[in-house]
Structures are given as C-alpha cells and as structure tokens.
Amino acid sequence: MAFVTARGARFHTVELGTSGPLVVMLHGLFTGSVASWYLTVAPLLAARCRIRLIDWRGHGLSERTPSGYGSTHMASDLDALTADLEPFAVVGHSFGAIVASRFALTHRDRVTRIVMVDPPLAERARPWWTPDESSQALEQARTAAAESCENRRAALALGLVEQTTLLAELEAEPALTATDLRELARIPTLIAVGSQSRYRAAAEGMARDQSAMTCRVLPGGHDLHVESRRPLADIVSSFLGVTDD
C-alpha cells in the first residue's frame, strides 16, 4: 500500500504480483474503490500478473477534492499515477472503463490492451456514454447513497454527490464518437458484459461494429467482478495470454 501526491490530491494505490504482464485496474464511481478489485478478481490475476490498483480521488483512501471527476481529468490522473510504469494493460469497471478509453485515446503508446468490464454504454451503440444515460445512473446512485448513509462506502458516495462537482461533470461528459471508437479498436480490446446488464445490447453492438473488439457475456449484472469473479478472471487471463498450460 502506498500514498502518492499527484495533480493536487493524495492518492492511495496498492501493488500485487511479482511477475508477468503489467495490469492497472480501475474501479467505478461512487461506491467503488481499490477493494472492488482487491477482494475479487485482482488476487486471481496476481498469480501471473503484476497489478497496480488505484483509488480514484474522492474514493477509498484517496483525498476528496472539490472537482476533477470527468473522464478527461481522471485520465490525466491515471497518467500521473502510472508515470513510473512501462506500457500496461488496463482493466476498467463501469466508469473506470470510460476513463481507460479516454486514456488510451490520448496515450496510445502506453496501453497494450484494454478490458472494459460492463461499461455504461448508451442503449444505442453510437454515441457512447450520453448524458441521458448518465442522468439515470446518477439518480440511482444518489438514492442508494442517501438510503444507506450509515455504511461507510455509501457515506463516501453521498459526500461525492453533495460536496463535489462530480454530478455536474458527469452530466457534461462528452460522448465518444465513432472516430474515437475506430481509434480505440486499434488496441486489442475485450468487453465483458453481464447477461442481465442493461448495457449488454450496446456492448454487443459495439463489438459487431468494431471487428477488432471482442465481447464476452458472463452471468450476472453490472458488478461482474463480484458476481462472476472466477469467469471474469479466466477470460482476462486468456486475453492477456497468461492462462495455465
């Protein structure tokens, strides 16, 4: 476990594994944290990979700042928090997948592979991550946090809602264009989506549109790292080329 000061905030990071390909794993917003991966898929991958986990600003043990929660800003955080690393594969859950995509578009030479775990796609394949989709997701998160404020994770989420510009930044989040997706498809990309996920149709459609992308459907809904941890670890391992012989 380490704490790193970068871009005006104190971030918490965790390292796992000693050999194999380098993987950076990104959690989603609100109730996500390093624990999202540390208690689920990361230990399964760490037997064959070197892994860095990051608490986004305002999440887990990282410092909460008044702003800085849009994908472009967070991609810059990711750049700073991985500046010491050689090119790496990036695994992102939910909004973490959006940040991974933004990062890959602006730092193509730093990313070897991308795994998007149930990315919050609009129901139509284009445009991607539209404000109407984010509004629904944000309202659900606000309600869940308010109803469960005795829980530390939910209390942190409520603080993000009430004391930062996160909601406004997500409402202003720009869509990834068709050109962006074509550029993204130049990097080997795996999309893992839940069989019961609201984002399944869009994920499958995006993979059909971009033949270089692969979509795998796993049992469960949005939280595949919890609901299908072993199958998710297996397909990520296979995608990274580190499965057992």
Side-chain angles (χ1 to χ4, degrees), residues 127-147:
W128 195 37
W129 182 257
T130 55
D132 60 314
E133 283 289 304
S134 63
S135 295
Q136 296 175 39
L138 295 174
E139 187 57 38
Q140 292 171 1
R142 182 189 286 113
T143 300
E147 291 176 350

Side-chain angles (χ1 to χ4, degrees), residues 96-212:
I98 305 298
V99 179
S101 301
R102 293 285 184 203
F103 178 78
L105 286 169
T106 53
H107 300 85
R108 171 66 183 87
D109 60 335
R110 300 201 60 210
V111 178
T112 59
R113 290 177 178 265
I114 303 170
V115 180
M116 303 181 193
V117 181
D118 215 64
L121 311 176
E123 292 186 3
R124 50 201 178 280
R126 303 184 199 82
W128 195 37
W129 182 257
T130 55
D132 60 314
E133 283 289 304
S134 63
S135 295
Q136 296 175 39
L138 295 174
E139 187 57 38
Q140 292 171 1
R142 182 189 286 113
T143 300
E147 291 176 350
S148 305
C149 62
E150 73 283 356
N151 178 279
R152 182 177 181 276
R153 289 193 307 158
L156 289 172
L158 191 59
L160 285 167
V161 169
E162 295 182 338
Q163 299 174 27
T164 76
T165 60
L166 186 151
L167 296 183
E169 291 183 68
L170 291 191
E171 290 290 351
E173 183 70 24
L176 288 173
T177 67
T179 300
D180 290 333
L181 293 180
R182 285 193 295 271
E183 286 299 310
L184 199 61
R186 295 175 180 269
I187 305 170
T189 300
L190 169 67
I191 308 169
V193 66
S195 58
Q196 305 303 314
S197 172
R198 63 181 297 194
Y199 306 118
R200 176 178 176 177
E204 292 178 320
M206 189 169 74
R208 283 193 300 270
D209 289 346
Q210 306 295 333
S211 59

Side-chain angles (χ1 to χ4, degrees), residues 14-19 21 23-27 33-54 91 117 224-226 228-230 232-234 236-237 240 242:
V14 172
E15 308 278 337
L16 297 173
T18 58
S19 62
V23 184
V24 176
M25 305 184 76
L26 310 175
H27 65 77
S33 70
V34 156
S36 301
W37 292 117
Y38 186 83
L39 298 177
T40 59
V41 174
L44 300 175
L45 296 179
R48 298 185 289 276
C49 300
R50 293 169 294 148
I51 296 173
R52 176 168 295 179
L53 308 176
I54 295 168
V91 178
V117 181
L224 288 179
H225 55 300
V226 176
S228 284
R229 66 184 68 184
R230 173 59 71 176
L232 180 59
D234 287 346
V236 172
S237 294
L240 297 176
V242 293

